[in-house]
Amino acid sequence: MKRLALILLSLTLVACSGDDSPQRIHQQIYVFGTLVDITIDGAERERAEAAISAIDADFQRMHREWHAWKPGPLSAANQAIAAGKSAVIPDSLIPIIEHSRGLETRSEGLFNPAIGGLLQLWGFQADTPPNGPPPSPESIARWVDSGPSMAQVHLDGNAISSSNPAVQLDFGAFAKGYAVDLAIERLQEMGIANAIVNAGGDLRAIGRAAGQRPWRVGVRHPQGKGVLAAIEVSGDEAVFTSGNYERYREHEGVRYMHILDPRSGMPVQGVTTVTVLHENGALADAAATALVVAGVEGWPHIAKRLGLKAAMLVDEEGIVHLTPAMHERLSFEGEPPTLDIVELD
Ligand code: ADP
Ligand code: MG
């Protein structure tokens, strides 16, 4: 079904060309459970189309190879680790594992892609998380005590194993950013200078719109009501938002969000969204998740540890906590929210 949607969308290639503006090629790809928009300005049509189909093929392969719980090489590796065995993984997973290891350390363990077992316990490794009572406090405590970490993941060439059978890899907080970076790399290799790859509001841009103006992008509204603010992006920059409102489970009126705090094993509370601006999409994606976990008190410290300059956290009351560098970049749409500007040092 998803494949069919992709093929149909692939046929809806739109190109618009004004008298004074260079050609724009725009196409949507369905992957990672979302629509990815690719916009390329001022490139020859053939070159742009070739780049988009290369990215499409890359994305579909990544989706297969990086899925944490649907049948595939990563879920097979997770099964092997749980059984105390080793497994062979595709090349594409090796840099993800290495890169995320460092980000786990720098985020003081708040971003932890070895968290798959806890996600499964909470029912988040499913297309639709089940409603019903949360897992038992004992089972959550058992997971926390088992202390899974990327530091316990051992790679020998393409063979993966772990000293801790509780390690279960899930790159849901990071894969989109990593994939967007690879797409931008692919575009640059193919000589494309002005483009934007937008995966459901999480994006990275290079160059300028029509080769002239900054790209103007929207930051999603925390209550899912369109756009909270606009940001102008030019050069090479990523904008990632971690939402704690889209995926959740509910029981007796309580919502349990899909971003989990590895320290307590519990869903994060008190934070609605975090947005991070950074030149690297993978880092921006992981950082947005880590800052959600860090919460209203802890986010500036983790932002500093991750080397961020521009970050924003919207709390449950709708108060927008943000760094001066982020403040400079935003123009709020509609009624301006209450702002809390936080210096990182
Ligand atoms: P969004 O889906 O809103 O863009 P994220 O980038 O934050 O949000 O990714 C959320 C996903 O990350 C969850 O669905 C889950 O797969 C995974 N996850 C949840 N908590 C953590 C955590 N503390 N560390 C790493 N991954 C996490
Ligand atoms: Mg993320």
Side-chain angles (χ1 to χ4, degrees), residues 173-174 242 285-286 288-289:
F174 173 67
S242 254
D285 195 356
T289 306

Side-chain angles (χ1 to χ4, degrees), residues 23 45 57 108 115 206 216 221 245 255 266 272 285:
Q23 178 168 269
R45 166 181 277 277
E108 300 183 352
I115 202 171
I206 49 171
R216 196 173 162 82
H221 195 284
Y245 56 88
R255 281 186 182 179
M266 296 297 290
T272 318
D285 195 356

